[in-house]
Amino acid sequence: MADKYTEKDDRSSTRRGSDEQVERRKESHDPFNVEAVAPNRLNAVFENPLADIPREQLMVDVTQFCEHFGLMEYIDAFKKGALVSQNPNNTRNLNELSEEDRLILENEYAHK
């Protein structure tokens, strides 16, 4: 499997790219790949890129990211951050968050 964090983006001279390229990008689960968004979805820029990723896959992606960048000592924080980012309105129901984590998030939200 290719490393999605170092792989060069094979952009063509057109903005859309081929249908095959678009499908490959959709399958990569890369939330930062804007070209993977279907051109007829104008509101896609405002959608949460993590919302449709299954929880198990999200945790695999976080682990791979931390391994790749030597951040394993922070993996718990990255996993919590990914879960909160995936569904910010559900922080009270995340078992992974401590009461201190919830207070920090509430403070951040209140002082945006």
Side-chain angles (χ1 to χ4, degrees):
M1 177 166 110
D3 184 351
K4 67 182 174 187
Y5 300 108
T6 58
E7 192 173 77
K8 295 263 187 218
D9 188 7
D10 59 342
R11 297 175 191 211
S12 64
S13 59
T14 64
R15 291 184 59 92
R16 283 186 162 166
S18 71
D19 290 338
E20 182 179 303
Q21 287 172 324
V22 171
E23 284 304 313
R24 254 188 300 137
R25 289 184 189 113
K26 282 181 184 175
E27 293 173 1
S28 74
H29 297 296
D30 185 355
F32 301 108
N33 188 352
V34 178
E35 292 181 5
V37 177
N40 62 342
R41 294 180 56 208
L42 295 177
N43 66 341
V45 175
F46 303 108
E47 291 177 5
N48 185 338
L50 302 178
D52 294 330
I53 299 175
R55 185 185 187 102
E56 296 78 24
Q57 181 62 49
L58 184 64
M59 295 299 102
V60 167
D61 291 347
V62 168
T63 301
Q64 288 175 346
F65 179 86
C66 288
E67 286 174 347
H68 179 79
F69 289 103
L71 299 168
M72 290 304 289
E73 64 187 287
Y74 305 108
I75 192 162
D76 290 335
F78 274 92
K79 285 182 176 183
K80 288 177 184 181
L83 291 169
V84 169
S85 297
Q86 187 176 45
N87 190 351
N89 296 323
N90 192 36
T91 57
R92 291 193 180 272
N93 298 322
L94 288 174
N95 294 331
E96 292 81 0
L97 298 181
S98 67
E99 192 57 38
E100 181 182 5
D101 293 332
R102 286 184 184 86
L103 289 172
I104 290 169
L105 289 170
E106 287 174 15
N107 188 44
E108 276 297 312
Y109 181 76
H111 296 94
K112 278 187 180 182

